[in-house]
Amino acid sequence: MQEVTEKEVKVRLPKQSTLSDASSRPPTSNCGNTMVGSEDVLIDIMDNLTGQQSNRQIIPIAGMGGIGKTTLAQNVYMHPLIVHHFDICAWVTISQNYNVREIILEILVCSNKKEKRETLSRINKEELGEKVYKTLSGRRYLIVMDDMWSIEVWYKLKFFFPENNNGSRIMITTRLSKLAYDLTVSRGIEINLLDEGESWNLLRQKVFGEECCPPRLEGIGQKQPVAKDFLFFSENQEIRVSSLIKLWVAEGFLKPISGKCLEETLVINKLVINKGSRKLAFALPEIWMMPHLRHVESRRFYFPDPPSVEKDKPVFVLRNLQTLLEVLNFKCAEYVVKRIPNIKKLKLFYERLEEGDVPTLSYWVQNLTFPHSLKKLTLSGTFLDWEEMSSKVGSLPLLQVLKLKDNSCKGPEWKPVEGQFCSLKYLQIHYCDDLEYWTADNINYPRLEQLVLRDLNKLTEIPLGIGDIPTLRSIQLHG
């Protein structure tokens, strides 16, 4: 370490970490060590981390999605001088759908090699927080919290990070400049946007690597503002050529080849609007005009109603659509179901709307109609009565996987009737807090293979008849 010159420290980045503890390493990127931005940004971060200020400091790295904040943080985190400077290094990814207990658990596992995840998983959040505080007390630590979206996360975690006055640091990557300002009353370290040439060069490297880019795509990429294409892909994600082509087809840069279907998996163009304190994400109505569409997957978003039927105009039916995941308040009525006749996997979320909004949660639930083609179904927050759920879901002839999560059903008793769930192979019930009595027999789930029960604190027992199901292979109990 002492033989490394100051110049080398500023410009040299190792390809691999010298950390001895693999659990302390950040996730490995599939895209190499490509870093967006100048070396000055790296030098600024290194100076902030190893500076003379003794008080605990927060160092935000802000910039748009896909521009390389995580890669930059990884290169800094795994740099030999940083590993040598800090007693403890821990990396945790936050993201939008965070869980405070899981964040604390990950920090503790990274910070203390003696702690076993299996043992810690039984400890509640408060005890985990105390362990983190004791582990970090008196030590110079670096905690990296990657992809933070909300200041509330920091308010919930900051009490577990002691002020040792020894130069401890907390590095945070975020897409939100305002969040960086709220954390430090400054804009933090910002990664500037690339010009069009730099954007294309980076996108080309992530897509094609060492291979040559086809001349036709090269010409398109040089002419289009491709920087925004990074917004459609996760941070540090390897971008497949086929995915990029599909995106450009959707944007009109390329035309589909006659007789071939490129719309296999949709990269959703989302319209985001503000409504009060909420940001609402909507898929654009043009989604109903993609007849070859097979899979729609995104973070929670609103799926538009199908176009109304008008005289002498075609009726749009997505006959090839098989997967529709993480849709909020989907109007799963009979006339909508007829437009997606071959759907196999459906994941819906329903939320209580703010006062004055219509329709209400009870409206969505009472008007649920599920397609008979479904093979997989996940419900969360629907508060269906057990009897109503059985009648609506149990009659689906092809349903093989059913996940009932987070108060998807309500009421103290579930008593299915014979003839329901005839094809069901996997059943998960998670945090349906009202359930106390479950009456069932082997005739109710004749093909069940796996049963998973989580956090059912009031459930008195598993029905004895479940054990007589000849196809049953496992029962898992958690919490």
Side-chain angles (χ1 to χ4, degrees):
M1 292 294 183
Q2 295 174 353
E3 294 176 359
V4 179
T5 67
E6 181 179 359
K7 182 178 180 181
E8 288 174 320
V9 169
K10 291 184 178 179
V11 302
R12 192 174 67 186
L13 290 176
K15 291 187 177 180
Q16 293 183 348
S17 169
T18 59
L19 295 176
S20 59
D21 179 16
S23 66
S24 300
R25 299 177 184 173
T28 301
S29 168
N30 292 329
C31 304
N33 280 28
T34 302
M35 186 183 73
V36 180
S38 68
E39 293 173 355
D40 293 339
V41 179
L42 174 66
I43 295 172
D44 285 345
I45 297 174
M46 298 284 286
D47 287 345
N48 278 276
L49 290 177
T50 59
Q52 298 300 317
Q53 296 87 345
S54 60
N55 60 308
R56 184 192 69 191
Q57 290 191 337
I58 302 174
I59 302 173
I61 304 174
M64 64 176 283
I67 205 167
K69 301 180 299 298
T70 298
T71 299
L72 176 60
Q74 287 175 349
N75 288 332
V76 172
Y77 180 86
M78 297 191 294
H79 197 286
L81 289 184
I82 294 300
V83 177
H84 179 73
H85 183 78
F86 291 96
D87 302 320
I88 292 176
C89 293
W91 179 291
V92 63
T93 301
I94 305 297
S95 73
Q96 288 179 291
N97 299 321
Y98 66 89
N99 182 297
V100 173
R101 184 183 177 281
E102 291 300 319
I103 294 173
I104 299 171
L105 175 60
E106 187 63 30
I107 293 174
L108 184 57
V109 171
C110 289
S111 303
N112 192 336
K113 290 183 284 187
K114 296 180 181 179
E115 299 284 3
K116 301 298 183 182
R117 186 183 296 273
E118 295 76 15
T119 303
L120 295 173
S121 62
R122 306 187 189 98
I123 302 177
N124 61 41
K125 181 177 68 176
E126 288 71 22
E127 292 180 5
L128 287 175
E130 291 178 8
K131 281 182 171 288
V132 169
Y133 189 90
K134 291 178 180 178
T135 299
L136 300 180
S137 293
R139 313 287 295 279
R140 181 190 293 164
Y141 58 83
L142 169 63
I143 308 295
V144 180
M145 293 191 282
D146 183 39
D147 200 18
M148 183 181 288
W149 288 78
S150 170
I151 189 67
E152 283 75 19
V153 185
W154 170 246
Y155 292 149
K156 294 175 182 178
L157 294 173
K158 65 179 182 178
F159 303 106
F160 305 124
F161 305 135
E163 175 56 270
N164 295 324
N165 290 316
N166 61 358
S168 293
R169 300 286 186 261
I170 297 169
M171 186 163 61
I172 294 172
T173 71
T174 180
R175 309 181 188 200
L176 310 176
S177 297
K178 183 180 183 302
L179 176 57
Y181 183 86
D182 292 340
L183 289 166
T184 60
V185 198
S186 72
R187 301 182 72 175
I189 297 173
E190 286 198 295
I191 303 179
N192 296 324
L193 294 177
L194 308 180
D195 61 32
E196 291 185 8
E198 292 171 326
S199 297
W200 167 242
N201 288 335
L202 178 61
L203 183 62
R204 180 179 56 187
Q205 181 179 2
K206 292 188 73 174
V207 174
F208 298 98
E210 300 299 326
E211 298 179 6
C212 293
C213 173
R216 185 187 178 197
L217 297 185
E218 178 83 32
I220 294 172
Q222 291 177 343
K223 295 177 183 178
Q224 304 299 336
V226 298
K228 65 185 177 63
D229 289 336
F230 285 111
L231 296 174
F232 294 97
F233 301 98
S234 301
E235 196 91 25
N236 274 27
Q237 175 189 351
E238 180 180 358
I239 302 175
R240 296 181 180 274
V241 177
S242 58
S243 298
L244 182 64
I245 291 175
K246 291 166 191 172
L247 175 58
W248 283 353
V249 168
E251 292 176 340
F253 301 158
L254 284 174
K255 292 184 179 180
I257 301 173
S258 177
K260 294 189 177 182
C261 303
L262 294 177
E263 301 167 354
E264 183 177 347
T265 301
L266 178 67
V267 181
I268 295 177
N269 289 309
K270 289 193 286 189
L271 170 66
V272 181
I273 63 173
N274 290 318
K275 187 172 184 182
S277 60
R278 299 186 300 164
K279 283 187 176 181
L280 308 181
F282 294 84
L284 298 179
E286 287 78 9
I287 197 171
W288 284 100
M289 300 182 218
M290 297 182 176
H292 304 299
L293 190 62
R294 295 184 184 182
H295 309 285
V296 180
E297 301 182 24
S298 181
R299 291 180 177 176
R300 298 188 185 186
F301 71 105
Y302 292 87
F303 197 85
D305 291 342
S308 57
V309 179
E310 298 183 18
K311 188 177 181 180
D312 299 328
K313 288 191 175 182
V315 177
F316 293 99
V317 178
L318 301 182
R319 299 189 184 279
N320 291 308
L321 188 63
Q322 300 176 17
T323 304
L324 184 57
L325 298 185
E326 300 214 19
V327 183
L328 273 171
N329 293 351
F330 183 58
K331 189 179 290 184
C332 205
E334 186 174 357
Y335 78 95
V336 178
V337 168
K338 289 181 179 179
R339 306 289 186 94
I340 50 173
N342 298 311
I343 196 80
K344 292 181 173 64
K345 189 175 181 181
L346 183 63
K347 190 172 184 179
L348 307 178
F349 293 86
Y350 290 85
E351 63 178 3
R352 284 187 169 87
L353 301 181
E354 296 174 359
E355 187 175 356
D357 286 338
V358 291
T360 62
L361 174 64
S362 59
Y363 170 86
W364 298 118
V365 173
Q366 291 170 4
N367 289 275
L368 280 175
T369 301
F370 294 114
H372 280 197
S373 58
L374 274 184
K375 290 187 176 181
K376 295 183 179 181
L377 174 64
T378 298
L379 297 178
S380 178
T382 50
F383 290 90
L384 283 165
D385 292 326
W386 286 105
E387 183 179 353
E388 187 176 14
M389 187 279 297
S390 292
S391 63
K392 290 178 178 290
V393 178
S395 59
L396 301 178
L398 303 178
L399 188 67
Q400 297 179 9
V401 176
L402 175 61
K403 297 179 181 180
L404 304 174
K405 296 184 175 182
D406 299 327
N407 294 312
S408 56
C409 298
K410 66 177 181 178
E413 184 176 5
W414 182 20
K415 188 176 181 180
V417 299
E418 185 177 354
Q420 296 177 341
F421 304 104
C422 58
S423 300
L424 194 65
K425 296 181 179 180
Y426 179 97
L427 173 61
Q428 180 183 135
I429 310 175
H430 180 194
Y431 199 69
C432 293
D433 208 31
D434 294 338
L435 185 61
E436 298 181 36
Y437 307 104
W438 181 14
T439 305
D441 206 308
N442 60 327
I443 60 174
N444 299 120
Y445 315 97
R447 298 184 180 180
L448 189 66
E449 296 177 2
Q450 292 178 271
L451 174 64
V452 180
L453 305 178
R454 295 177 180 269
D455 298 318
L456 302 178
N457 299 323
K458 295 182 181 180
L459 184 63
T460 56
E461 64 179 8
I462 301 174
L464 294 177
I466 294 291
D468 296 328
I469 300 175
T471 55
L472 188 65
R473 294 185 300 169
S474 69
I475 298 176
Q476 297 181 34
L477 305 178
H478 302 269

